[in-house]
Amino acid sequence: MEIERPPQPPPVAAAVAAAAAISMVLGDDDLLREILVRLGLPTSLLRAALVCRRWLRHASDPAFLRRFRDLHPPRLLGAYLSTSAGPAPRLRFLPIRPVPELAAAARRAGSFFDAFKGSSAAVYDSRGGRLLVTTFDDRHDSTHQVCRPLSPGGDTTVVPPPPPPPPIQLNNDEECLIYHYGEFLRDDGDGRSYFCVVMGFSELQTTVYLYELHDINWVVKASAAAQLALLPPKSRVMLFDSANFYMLSTTNRILVCDFPSSSISVMELPNGVENKPGGCIMLSRGGSSGIFLIYVKESQLLIFHHRMGANDPGSWSLVDSVSLRQVCANLDTARWPSVDGPSAGVKLCAVGDNAEFVLLEIFGTIVFLDITSRQAEKVYELTPEDKELVSVRPLMLIWPPVFPQLKDAYYDQKERCEAQSTA
């Protein structure tokens, strides 16, 4: 017995019905925004903006971008690893948790320093998709640059070196003065601007100057001084946010310089935390909520938060504790010695904002740890040729995305082609 089948609509009619259904969804601005906000990657937003003027308007709307960032925090693309191999530091890019959609961006980041062949390069800071780089030629002459490795042209802007130390009045001729520098990129810089913090330490006073680069000129933005006898840090445990500068001193205290009020104070470390040699402490920006302190103690990664307030100095609270033994169980750790004990070979190399991730060196292996998901990934294994690890600098995807400045003729042509294809 032959089963009678319902008649199928003509192919043209089916295509028209499908187009009408799609138009009903994508023609609704509310539904379109819900679709766009789920794309997940800024690069996907850029491609969506090429569809038409309406999509560009939604994708580039500031309120939409704030919501997109809340749902999809800025993504780590990889890290630049610097080692002391040979007569000059060796710099390479290590992709982290690569996805096919970002393969082109990872290749661009990896090949960026090919243009610096013949000179050694050091990355002093990284914010978003920008790097603060100093290169040295054979004569040891240095050039300072702010770079955007992910831009199509690999934009590089030469900037002046940090300013000379300011004159600081000493109490007597026998008093010793030590200067210490910290260089930091702006969160929302124009591609050239960055900050330089210059600290002067004497036996009786600590003085801090904040300089900002404007139109290739250094401008003093603020300064502060206090009768604090602190020693400069032995390692670069520093942090700079929109208003405050933090520096971990060798006295197990954090110097806090509030530039808006031109004041300097001292913050005690959390209970049980000690600034021991070996890179066991790093600080992380927490936005308006304060700062985070990440501390490695044997096989535990401890995360503390210090909430800042105008009338409440705040206090440290332990917000997370991660067992390195457990999170690294999926890695090939058979040859690693025990991570317990005072001689544990675990070093903090870099941390993300809001303590979202850390990059660690564990017995010669560079490990990326997503703190939120508790997922660890082996990124690189140091070789004898690498000699010694110098630095690890994360590279984030550019945020907010830079939408193309397309002319009306582009969209006019696109709309004409679409109209002809549906005619």
Side-chain angles (χ1 to χ4, degrees), residues 134-266:
T134 298
T135 58
F136 303 89
D137 59 20
D138 295 338
R139 296 175 298 178
H140 303 289
D141 292 332
S142 62
T143 302
H144 300 260
Q145 301 162 81
V146 175
C147 309
R148 294 177 180 267
L150 300 181
S151 63
D155 294 343
T156 299
T157 303
V158 176
V159 295
I168 296 177
Q169 185 67 38
L170 298 179
N171 296 306
N172 55 67
D173 295 338
E174 297 180 357
E175 192 174 359
C176 178
L177 182 63
I178 301 174
Y179 284 102
H180 202 81
Y181 277 75
E183 298 172 61
F184 306 92
L185 288 167
R186 292 181 56 171
D187 283 335
D188 54 352
D190 58 5
R192 295 181 300 173
S193 295
Y194 71 96
F195 291 104
C196 180
V197 177
V198 183
M199 295 153 284
F201 300 90
S202 67
E203 296 177 6
L204 301 175
Q205 180 172 288
T206 295
T207 306
V208 183
Y209 285 83
L210 173 66
Y211 291 82
E212 185 175 9
L213 188 65
H214 275 297
D215 296 327
I216 70 170
N217 292 311
W218 287 108
V219 177
V220 178
K221 298 291 291 184
S223 63
Q227 298 296 318
L228 295 172
L230 293 176
L231 295 175
K234 294 181 179 178
S235 59
R236 287 175 59 90
V237 185
M238 306 180 199
L239 186 71
F240 179 74
D241 58 23
S242 59
N244 300 313
F245 169 71
Y246 307 87
M247 184 205 71
L248 182 63
S249 75
T250 52
T251 56
N252 275 328
R253 294 186 294 176
I254 298 176
L255 178 145
V256 183
C257 184
D258 185 310
F259 288 116
S261 64
S262 297
S263 63
I264 293 179
S265 60
V266 170

Side-chain angles (χ1 to χ4, degrees), residues 235 277-282 296 298 301 324 344-350 358-367 388-392:
S235 59
C280 62
I281 295 178
M282 293 200 83
V296 173
E298 298 182 350
L301 187 73
L324 296 177
V346 181
K347 177 182 178 182
L348 282 166
C349 300
V358 294
L359 283 155
L360 305 148
E361 180 194 354
I362 306 180
F363 298 107
T365 299
I366 307 301
V367 174
E388 184 180 357
L389 177 65
V390 176
S391 66
V392 178

Side-chain angles (χ1 to χ4, degrees), residues 24-198:
M24 185 179 299
V25 174
L26 299 183
D28 186 312
D29 286 346
D30 292 335
L31 290 177
L32 177 60
R33 283 191 293 268
E34 291 302 315
I35 293 171
L36 294 177
V37 82
R38 285 165 172 76
L39 291 177
L41 291 172
T43 50
S44 301
L45 280 184
L46 292 175
R47 288 195 293 269
L50 299 176
V51 173
C52 63
R53 295 183 182 89
R54 179 167 152 264
W55 286 36
L56 170 63
R57 186 176 68 253
H58 287 304
S60 59
D61 178 68
F64 171 84
L65 289 174
R66 287 193 293 270
R67 184 184 174 206
F68 188 95
R69 178 172 179 146
D70 290 340
L71 292 175
H72 315 287
R75 182 186 177 92
L76 175 68
L77 183 65
Y80 285 101
L81 176 78
S82 178
T83 58
S84 59
R90 182 182 179 188
L91 197 61
R92 77 203 75 179
F93 180 74
L94 307 174
I96 295 177
R97 305 175 83 175
V99 295
E101 294 88 341
L102 300 178
R107 287 194 300 271
R108 190 177 298 139
S111 63
F112 177 74
F113 279 97
D114 292 346
F116 295 91
K117 295 250 185 221
S119 61
S120 60
V123 181
Y124 284 100
D125 193 24
S126 59
R127 292 296 295 160
R130 292 172 296 129
L131 304 173
L132 180 58
V133 178
T134 298
T135 58
F136 303 89
D137 59 20
D138 295 338
R139 296 175 298 178
H140 303 289
D141 292 332
S142 62
T143 302
H144 300 260
Q145 301 162 81
V146 175
C147 309
R148 294 177 180 267
L150 300 181
S151 63
D155 294 343
T156 299
T157 303
V158 176
V159 295
I168 296 177
Q169 185 67 38
L170 298 179
N171 296 306
N172 55 67
D173 295 338
E174 297 180 357
E175 192 174 359
C176 178
L177 182 63
I178 301 174
Y179 284 102
H180 202 81
Y181 277 75
E183 298 172 61
F184 306 92
L185 288 167
R186 292 181 56 171
D187 283 335
D188 54 352
D190 58 5
R192 295 181 300 173
S193 295
Y194 71 96
F195 291 104
C196 180
V197 177
V198 183

